[in-house]
Each structure stands twice: as structure tokens, then as C-alpha cells.
Amino acid sequence: MSFSSRVFDLHLRHPFQIARREAMRVRPIVLLEANGGVGEASPSSYYGDTVETVLAALEAFRPVIEENPPIEVAVRRMNELLPRHPSAKAAVDVALHDALGKRAGLPLYALLGLDKNGTPLTSFTIGIDRLEVIAEKIAEAAAYPVLKIKLGTPRDEEILKTVRAATDKVIRVDANAGWTREEALRWVKRLADCNVEFVEQPLPPDDLEGLRLVKEASPLPIFADESCVTSADIPRLVGCVDGINIKLMKCGGLREAWKMIHAARTFDLKVMLGCMVESSVAITAAAHLSPTVDYADLDGNLLITNDPYEGATVEAGKLVLPDRPGLGVVKREKR
Ligand code: MG
């Protein structure tokens, strides 16, 4: 059995900023090769991960990987060894799925019994920036029919005006927990006339009662992102939101994401698959699950200039899955 990991710096096309933190220019990820499969951790400090914690967790998981048990067992063993560390677990989970697909000679979507033609459109994210740069980013995003706009700032009104002056496309709004209850109640009504599809995480993650109040008052659907980390969070969100945003790097991999999709369906919640800034390895892994969800926001690899792999692509906004076995990702030549 094989195991190797390396740190790789993803370079952002534009510095990427959201409500709660400074702009990011470089995103270090950890690429994992395990048992013939490739995986990726894109560590988010918001969920307690750094490159250092990923590398340490992967070392702790090494004996599990070397035993090469069924994926279900590997995931259970990792959870027994260490709580948290979702992006390191996602790297292992994705690599084992890739390896399984390669052994079976099947693309991951086929292994999961999914229809590759059923992939959704993905949104393209416009981060917080100076107004003239926001207008430039919207022009650069001409190929994408749906945009995701980051709000939750003191400049929301001017950002929205800039966006709406630049495009009449459908937009999704993500406040990244940046509003108070009063602001959120005002904004959901304000956005209802602006060709907005839904509003993501208007309030801080723990304010479920606030989310319930906003959902009840909102003409637009409300999605939970920071409030919904794993499947364990879903039951208490029922009645508080209309849908959830699932990310491999916060839930711990495809196995848990799949569980979250089924749990959400049980409670009649809509499902979006989202991402961090990630390479085509993690984006392609999530894309293979995307025929089962309502919305995708799988654009992390579109925001970088030095993607180390190629995999899922986007045509007229729609995710296109590779037909090669496993994830179907291929290493790019060094540039
Ligand atoms: Mg979000």
C-alpha cells in the first residue's frame, strides 16, 4: 500500500475576501496519494484545520490507510482516532474512493449509480472587493449563468448596486454570518426584487432561533452553511432553513456528504454542494455527487491560476464529469 502527501500553494486569480476575514491570495492545500488514489485537504482555520494539523492527522491515519480496509471502516477508524480534522479525513476518503473506482474500472459517478447528465449548474463566486474590481470580476465571469455574491459587509448596498448595474443574471447571496437579525430581516426583503435565487447563512452559526425568524419572514429561500457542518447538525435546522450547503472540507469527505444528502432529503431540505478554494481534485470529487443535489457552488478550482490537476469542467455553467475511472483527475504538466 502507498502513502505520500505534499503541500501545494494554490494561487488565487484575485485576492478572495468574505465577510469574516481578510483577503486570501494563496491557499495552501495538502495533496495525498494513498493506495493508488489521489485526495486533497484544503484546510480551513474556521473549521479548526491548518496545513500542520492536516499533515499530523494524515500521519495518525497512515496505519489505517496501509491496512486498506473498506471505506466505511476507514472512515469509522479515522473518527475513532481523532475527532474533528475534517479536511484531512476528506483527503483520505476521496483518495480511497478514487482508488476504488480505478480498481473497478468505473468513474466515481457510475460506481455510485448516478446519472452523469444530471449534474446541476454551478455558480461562480464574486468575492468582496473594491467596486470597480467587482464590476471587472462580473465581466470576467461572462461564461457563468449564475453568480454567487458575497455580502455581510458595511458596504452591502453599494456592492449590490454595482452587481446589478453590471448584470441581470440570477444571483445567490452569501452573507457568511455577517448580518444581525435586524439586518438580515431587512436584506431578505430588499433582495427579493433583485433576481436573487436564495440567501446563504445570513446570521451567526449558532443563532438558529434567528434563522427561524428570518426564514419565516423571508420571501427567498434561506440556506445554512456555517450552521450545518455534518449530518448531526441537520435535525435541529429543520424549520430554521430551507436548505443546506454541504462541503467535503467541513464534513470530512464523500461518505459523510452522501449521508448529509440523504438526511436533508428525509427532512425535505434542499441541498447545495459547495467548496473552499480547492484544486480540481476535491472539486471533481464533489462534482461526482452533484447529480443528487439541487444546486452546486463548485467553483474553487476556477478561482486559481495553478491548478495541479484537471478533472470536472464547466460548460455553459453546467458541471461536466470526466469519464475516466475513479475521480478521473489527471496531473497537469508543471508550468
Ligand atoms: Mg457559504
Side-chain angles (χ1 to χ4, degrees):
M1 296 299 116
S2 64
F3 175 99
S4 69
S5 60
R6 67 185 167 112
V7 179
F8 186 93
D9 284 339
L10 300 178
H11 292 270
L12 279 290
R13 199 175 302 277
H14 293 282
F16 187 70
Q17 193 181 353
I18 64 170
R20 66 171 160 265
R21 60 161 163 72
E22 294 301 298
M24 179 205 306
R25 289 163 198 279
V26 175
R27 172 80 165 199
I29 58 165
V30 179
L31 291 165
L32 172 70
E33 289 188 39
N35 302 352
V38 58
E40 170 183 353
S42 178
S44 162
S45 57
Y46 186 77
Y47 295 103
D49 283 347
T50 64
V51 163
E52 290 71 30
T53 66
V54 168
L55 293 172
L58 290 176
E59 274 310 314
F61 299 151
R62 185 198 280 257
V64 177
I65 296 163
E66 285 176 348
E67 273 178 39
N68 200 22
I71 297 172
E72 182 72 11
V73 177
V75 169
R76 191 174 67 230
R77 296 268 306 280
M78 288 194 290
N79 287 331
E80 286 164 0
L81 278 169
L82 290 176
R84 302 186 292 276
H85 298 281
S87 67
K89 289 171 182 170
V92 175
D93 163 288
V94 166
L96 297 184
H97 278 90
D98 185 33
L100 180 64
K102 284 173 178 160
R103 282 205 303 281
L106 288 172
L108 188 53
Y109 73 82
L111 199 67
L112 297 170
L114 303 178
D115 173 14
K116 68 175 285 193
N117 298 315
T119 56
L121 295 175
T122 178
S123 48
F124 184 90
T125 303
I126 308 291
I128 295 166
D129 220 314
R130 287 180 293 121
L131 298 180
E132 60 270 26
V133 180
I134 288 178
E136 273 170 36
K137 287 177 176 175
I138 290 173
E140 286 170 24
Y144 304 99
V146 182
L147 301 179
K148 177 155 154 179
I149 306 297
K150 295 288 194 178
L151 293 181
T153 78
R155 301 187 293 122
D156 286 353
E157 190 60 47
E158 43 183 353
I159 292 173
L160 181 68
K161 284 203 177 113
T162 302
V163 170
R164 273 299 166 235
T167 178
D168 56 5
K169 283 177 185 173
V170 173
I171 59 175
R172 301 169 181 169
V173 166
D174 188 355
N176 283 108
W179 289 329
T180 63
R181 287 185 183 185
E182 293 68 29
E183 287 168 330
L185 287 165
R186 194 172 71 242
W187 271 105
V188 291
K189 287 173 187 156
R190 167 86 174 83
L191 292 169
D193 301 325
C194 300
N195 201 17
V196 172
E197 202 169 21
F198 54 76
V199 175
E200 195 178 318
Q201 199 66 44
L203 296 177
D206 294 334
D207 189 8
L208 301 192
E209 192 45 42
L211 284 174
R212 184 187 300 277
L213 294 172
V214 172
K215 172 185 149 54
E216 278 166 11
S218 176
L220 297 170
I222 305 295
F223 274 64
D225 180 359
E226 288 86 341
S227 297
C228 188
V229 179
T230 70
S231 55
D233 297 315
I234 293 175
R236 63 174 170 264
L237 285 167
V238 176
C240 303
V241 294
D242 301 281
I244 61 165
N245 185 354
I246 299 172
K247 296 176 182 170
L248 300 185
M249 297 302 149
K250 64 176 176 167
C251 78
L254 291 160
R255 208 82 191 159
E256 177 63 18
W258 187 238
K259 215 164 128 184
M260 291 177 82
I261 292 166
H262 289 290
R265 296 304 184 200
T266 303
F267 292 111
D268 206 21
L269 292 167
K270 295 279 187 200
V271 179
M272 166 166 46
L273 263 173
C275 62
M276 309 294 180
V277 173
E278 296 167 6
S279 84
S280 278
V281 173
I283 293 294
T284 302
H288 278 282
L289 274 186
S290 73
T292 63
V293 304
D294 306 293
Y295 306 101
D297 178 37
L298 292 176
D299 63 347
N301 58 339
L302 307 174
L303 306 176
I304 58 177
T305 57
N306 62 334
D307 197 339
Y309 281 81
E310 56 188 48
T313 55
V314 181
E315 282 176 22
K318 191 175 154 75
L319 289 161
V320 179
L321 300 175
D323 260 323
R324 295 174 289 267
L327 296 181
V329 296
V330 179
K331 217 178 251 181
R332 280 178 204 264
E333 293 304 311
K334 256 213 165 78
R335 284 179 288 185

